[in-house]
Amino acid sequence: MAEFVSSFITGFQSVVSEDLPRRLPGVKILNCYDGLIHYKFDGDSHQLEKIIYFNNTFFVLKTMKGKGLNFASLAGAVCSSKGYFLVNKGTFRVRFQQENQFAKVDKNITRRVEEYVTRNSRLTLDRLSPTNEIWFSIRREGFAFCGELISKREFTEKNLNKGELRPEIAYLMCCFAHVQSEDVVLEPFCGYGSIPVQLAKRFPCKKIYVSDIDEDKVKKLELGPQVEICQADVFELSHIQDNSIDTIITDPPWGLWENIPDIEDFYNKMFVSFKRVLKPNGKMIILTARTVEFENAAKNAGLTIQNSLHTLVNGKKATLYCL
């Protein structure tokens, strides 16, 4: 089986390890680090491009483990073996990465690798604008790899509305929630619809209630027949019956850009509303950067934090909670 390495957003390694075998039958996970997964897969490599949370995906040429890893030893190990390249046409350049930052190395190391690739493939060298890249990467966990970059997805906010949750984060939040086919799910801060879009597309639910206080945003949403959409104040949710919701998945305001004078009080009132509509054994999956105020409000509401993970959203430290 061919080996691959794929990167993803920090903090979600346990979620990715659980989800990938479901989305990619036949995959064998070798190891999972923070933001990086190493695995074997015997199917069509183009299927890897369909995994929504993968950033860069590499066809592995060589891996190394241990302390004191360096580019000279990694390059030496690669160049002393026979090379096989998954993409074997076009141009290439070589890049070196140390702990997620591109690094400069001795020119002799670079030249040796370039000669090796040229000798073992039909690729031609182009350091400025190549069609392919060969990466040498060393991570702080004592893992290093050399790989051919076969898929690259840059998640940016350029094509998103201000405040819109990135789709891969919304997807991973739904995975974290372990949504079941008989679940009734509520997203009361839907905004531009990132979370309900992922729920409707990729997760079987019995019913999805979607709402937001902004009527203009709600009107623009078009989802499946199992989704009920309406304009509603989160503190009331008058359209939701008591004890009728299995799971709440949401990204509420953080009070960083919105005009909310007291975010802890906002969360206090939010939890009162959530507790009314949630079933006794229901759960809440909530993303926020205001961890102190959020945890205080959860404690005030008598809620228990069952699990949490730390991540980055638009460069801001945030925490995803399961209550």
Side-chain angles (χ1 to χ4, degrees), residues 180-198:
Q180 304 297 313
S181 59
E182 292 302 310
D183 282 355
V184 178
V185 181
L186 168 65
E187 159 52 307
F189 295 101
C190 69
Y192 294 97
S194 297
I195 292 172
V197 164
Q198 295 303 320

Side-chain angles (χ1 to χ4, degrees), residues 7-8 19-20 23 47-55 153 155 166-172 175 194 197-198 201-203:
S7 61
F8 54 87
D19 179 72
L20 189 60
R23 302 298 177 187
Q47 293 184 50
L48 306 180
E49 299 175 17
K50 299 177 182 178
I51 305 300
I52 187 173
Y53 44 77
F54 279 172
N55 297 336
R153 182 186 292 120
F155 294 111
R166 283 161 41 180
E168 81 279 10
I169 299 177
Y171 175 86
L172 289 168
C175 291
S194 297
V197 164
Q198 295 303 320
K201 278 185 176 181
R202 305 176 190 273
F203 297 86

Side-chain angles (χ1 to χ4, degrees), residues 157 160-166 191-192 194 217 251 257 314:
E157 283 64 54
L160 299 178
N161 297 288
K162 185 178 180 180
E164 184 176 357
L165 190 66
R166 283 161 41 180
Y192 294 97
S194 297
K217 290 178 181 177
D251 174 25
W257 302 281
N314 300 341

